[in-house]
Amino acid sequence: MANISFPINVGGTNIPGFAISSRIGSADLTPEFTNSYEVGLNFEFFSNRISGDVAYFYTESEDQIIDLSVAPSSGFLTRTTNVGLMTNQGWEITLSGLVVESGNFSWNSTVNFTRIRNKVDEIAEGVDRSDIEGNRFTILAPSIEVGEPYGVFVGLKHPRNEEGRLLVNPTTGFLEATEGGQLIGDPNPDWLGGFINDFKYKNLSLSIVLDARVGGDIFSFEAADEGDSGALEYQADNRQEAFIIDGVIDNGDGTYRENNIQISAEDYYRTNISLATESSVFDGTVYRLRELSLTYSLPQSILETTPFGSVSIGFSGRNLWFYAPNYYNDPEGNSQGAGNIQGVRLNGFPSTRNYSANLRFTF
């Protein structure tokens, strides 16, 4: 019998049973250890009108316990073991200031910046790469690899020549067959930033929160699916056009010639936007109006004859606007879900825009 699943259904009755685990343990597991170093500076100037924090940190994590992929021929899929060494280092900077204070008007502003770099230095003896177990999608695998950041994407990549030009098949005009097991993306952002502004005029307050995520790749299942079916907006005006892929054809003698083979729009998009290839990887840079809120507090002169200490009414909105220069949708709209995997979009619902109103009393 090639496959047994439990519980076994016999005559409409489920009979419980046990199945051999696909994970093998290790008899020599050791505890995880983390060494962390941090240095920081806190400063205030002009009677705290300007203040800030600057911090640098460096962390080494040794012998982390994870499930490494093993050859299925061993009879198992993963092995629980200690991973050798992973390092994290980065900067966190915050600067706050009272920009304007004049009569009944004030403007406070805060800017924050975060830059983190991590690297897998060692995995295990004889292991240079491993899937992050439980997070493989078709032939895309968020992975750890020696010398690379945590969570890089491994999938299919189109072959190129020495100058980085795509190779085109001289018979079909399509791209040459993809090569598996290639690094095709890094989901870790170059930096994160925020810009918070609080304005106040008499009893009226306005708060504006902007943020940015610059760099960091996303792997988009939706782009592959929608592009393959011609449903992307930019495909609407050129579905009937002929295309010539920007690439070169190998002459077989070490030289290349420009591709001049025309293919249909349908074939063009199906060969250029396909699942688990580098064509489904996009730069996830996004700039966002994260939150805007407006609040009005009743003057104390009105509240003197009431039991209330304060009364305010407010309106707010979240995720009101975003700009993603390199992707047609919201890069943060959907992810793998619970866990520590970044940058995977799974044909989920788009991100939501929220509005709210509140009435607040204190006694």
Side-chain angles (χ1 to χ4, degrees):
M1 186 176 294
N3 193 335
I4 299 177
S5 59
F6 293 98
I8 300 174
N9 187 287
V10 179
T13 302
N14 289 328
I15 300 176
F18 296 92
I20 298 175
S21 173
S22 62
R23 178 169 63 98
I24 187 173
S26 298
D28 53 354
L29 280 179
T30 61
E32 300 180 3
F33 290 95
T34 298
N35 296 314
S36 182
Y37 312 89
E38 183 171 344
V39 58
L41 173 67
N42 176 269
F43 56 87
E44 298 177 357
F45 298 109
F46 309 112
S47 301
N48 202 28
R49 183 159 182 158
I50 297 176
S51 62
D53 292 280
V54 178
Y56 171 79
F57 68 89
Y58 179 85
T59 301
E60 289 185 350
S61 299
E62 297 180 283
D63 296 329
Q64 295 183 86
I65 300 175
I66 67 171
D67 293 333
L68 287 181
S69 300
V70 297
S73 58
S74 66
F76 300 91
L77 297 179
T78 60
R79 174 168 59 94
T80 303
T81 187
N82 294 104
V83 168
L85 177 65
M86 186 180 299
T87 57
N88 281 274
Q89 56 183 317
W91 290 90
E92 295 178 339
I93 302 173
T94 301
L95 179 64
S96 300
L98 179 58
V99 182
V100 176
E101 187 175 38
S102 177
N104 294 317
F105 177 76
S106 65
W107 172 19
N108 285 277
S109 186
T110 299
V111 178
N112 57 69
F113 171 85
T114 302
R115 181 183 184 273
I116 300 175
R117 295 291 182 268
N118 66 73
K119 186 174 71 168
V120 178
D121 295 283
E122 301 173 18
I123 299 180
E125 185 177 353
V127 179
D128 293 324
R129 175 191 290 176
S130 176
D131 299 351
I132 299 176
E133 180 59 27
N135 296 283
R136 171 178 280 275
F137 305 93
T138 63
I139 42 182
L140 169 75
S143 304
I144 55 174
E145 179 169 340
V146 173
E148 299 293 339
Y150 181 91
V152 292
F153 301 144
V154 173
L156 301 174
K157 195 169 187 177
H158 296 290
R160 301 171 183 263
N161 67 358
E162 296 79 4
E163 297 178 351
R165 301 286 305 278
L166 289 166
L167 297 183
V168 178
N169 187 299
T171 303
T172 63
F174 297 167
L175 294 174
E176 290 284 12
T178 53
E179 301 170 346
Q182 305 295 309
L183 288 179
I184 60 175
D186 175 8
N188 298 281
D190 295 333
W191 57 270
L192 305 172
F195 186 30
I196 304 171
N197 294 276
D198 295 308
F199 303 91
K200 186 171 183 179
Y201 178 70
K202 294 185 177 179
N203 293 61
L204 190 66
S205 300
L206 174 66
S207 178
I208 303 173
V209 180
L210 304 169
D211 62 38
R213 177 186 174 95
V214 177
D217 295 322
I218 59 171
F219 184 91
S220 176
F221 281 76
E222 64 194 15
D225 291 339
E226 294 173 18
D228 183 68
S229 60
L232 296 177
E233 183 177 358
Y234 70 85
Q235 297 172 317
D237 297 330
N238 51 23
R239 289 174 182 164
Q240 304 304 318
E241 296 181 9
F243 285 90
I244 298 177
I245 294 177
D246 182 14
V248 294
I249 296 175
D250 189 349
N251 293 322
D253 58 1
T255 63
Y256 302 89
R257 66 181 187 272
E258 287 291 327
N259 173 44
N260 61 355
I261 304 174
Q262 290 188 348
I263 58 177
S264 69
E266 180 182 5
D267 288 337
Y268 174 81
Y269 289 121
R270 284 188 173 177
T271 189
N272 278 276
I273 306 177
S274 53
L275 199 59
T277 70
E278 58 183 319
S279 59
S280 296
V281 176
F282 299 84
D283 178 7
T285 295
V286 60
Y287 306 93
R288 190 182 304 276
L289 174 56
R290 179 68 67 179
E291 184 172 359
L292 187 149
S293 63
L294 182 66
T295 303
Y296 179 75
S297 300
L298 293 181
Q300 286 298 317
S301 58
I302 297 178
L303 300 176
E304 288 179 353
T305 58
T306 72
F308 304 114
S310 66
V311 177
S312 65
I313 182 171
F315 303 91
S316 65
R318 289 186 59 84
N319 197 29
L320 299 178
W321 172 88
F322 73 90
Y323 172 60
N326 303 303
Y327 189 59
Y328 72 97
N329 207 332
D330 186 352
E332 296 182 3
N334 178 250
S335 64
Q336 187 266 347
N340 56 356
I341 300 301
Q342 301 184 73
V344 179
R345 289 185 54 91
L346 297 173
N347 291 321
F349 292 106
S351 55
T352 58
R353 182 180 297 143
N354 300 314
Y355 301 93
S356 63
N358 64 79
L359 183 61
R360 180 174 299 175
F361 300 88
T362 63
F363 297 91

